[in-house]
Amino acid sequence: KDDASKTKSTGGGYTLGQAIFSPCGNHIVYTGWDAGGGGESPRRLGSIYCYQRPCKIYASPIKQLLIDLATPTSASGSGSTSNSSPPSMEESHVCITPHDRLARSPRFCTSPSAGFNKLIYLCNTKGFDTHGGAMGLHSVDWHNQFGVQLNSKRVVVDVVELPSFQSTDADDEKSILGMSFPGLFLNQLPRHSFIPDGRFI
């Protein structure tokens, strides 16, 4: 499934959603859920009530999408790129989170710094088996000209597997009024996740 970033079409195996434009307007970033049955499921499955369904975040250059739509043979997949070539923002779509089982809800900071924007998203690399669970908050740099910078990924808020009991240390930065942070439990981030100057989430 990680090789979906190197094909011309999802082949019916994914349900797409949560799409947003990049700040430069040249790309669309979106979530792709495993639709079930390798694309052969009688019904395309989404995430409703099943937030444990595998999902990844992808980016597609709008220029290439328009070319594919205008090319009659693009639907056949005959123009797919070679698996030996590294991912490029000129491919039909590039997987931003190939090694994460759950990644969804991409959001951009629209206040660029030196040509870069921040892309944040919810992520749980290992995933979970229950219908819901804790998510982490991850970020990656997005260059206005070259797109996603995969080597800039970092964890902003880690997944909390098991919240600790009350802390007795009043100076503990990880606790509030003696209660430790329970983790992030949400399906989507707010549409406007950054303050106006982009300094805080």
Side-chain angles (χ1 to χ4, degrees):
K1 293 182 177 122
D2 291 346
D3 290 337
S5 62
K6 302 178 183 178
T7 63
K8 284 289 182 181
S9 168
T10 59
Y14 296 85
T15 298
L16 310 180
Q18 300 179 336
I20 57 172
F21 285 99
S22 64
C24 61
N26 294 326
H27 301 85
I28 296 178
V29 179
Y30 52 93
T31 304
W33 285 270
D34 185 338
E40 302 299 325
S41 178
R43 293 187 178 183
R44 296 179 64 80
L45 303 176
S47 67
I48 188 168
Y49 308 133
C50 297
Y51 299 128
Q52 82 277 29
R53 187 172 301 286
C55 52
K56 301 181 186 298
I57 294 177
Y58 298 86
S60 293
I62 296 175
K63 177 181 178 181
Q64 186 62 45
L65 287 176
L66 294 176
I67 293 174
D68 289 348
L69 290 172
T71 305
T73 58
S74 63
S76 66
S78 59
S80 60
T81 58
S82 170
N83 286 344
S84 61
S85 62
S88 162
M89 290 308 292
E90 291 305 311
E91 295 178 0
S92 288
H93 46 277
V94 171
C95 184
I96 297 175
T97 59
H99 306 297
D100 300 313
R101 180 174 174 82
L102 301 177
R104 59 176 183 258
S105 191
R107 296 289 187 265
F108 275 107
C109 170
T110 56
S111 300
S113 175
F116 284 89
N117 287 276
K118 285 289 185 184
L119 174 65
I120 61 171
Y121 53 93
L122 296 173
C123 182
N124 188 316
T125 299
K126 296 188 298 182
F128 42 79
D129 296 325
T130 56
H131 284 269
M135 299 292 288
L137 182 67
H138 291 206
S139 74
V140 64
D141 288 339
W142 184 280
H143 193 277
N144 286 337
Q145 180 179 357
F146 302 109
V148 64
Q149 307 295 296
L150 294 177
N151 61 351
S152 66
K153 290 182 181 179
R154 75 183 188 95
V155 177
V156 180
V157 178
D158 207 351
V159 173
V160 178
E161 298 286 355
L162 182 64
S164 60
F165 292 101
Q166 290 187 354
S167 172
T168 57
D169 186 355
D171 297 326
D172 186 355
E173 296 180 354
K174 296 183 179 180
S175 65
I176 299 177
L177 298 178
M179 295 180 291
S180 61
F181 177 60
L184 297 175
F185 288 82
L186 67 167
N187 179 37
Q188 292 194 55
L189 293 168
R191 184 157 296 278
H192 301 289
S193 296
F194 290 84
I195 64 172
D197 64 6
R199 295 177 58 196
F200 297 99
I201 300 172

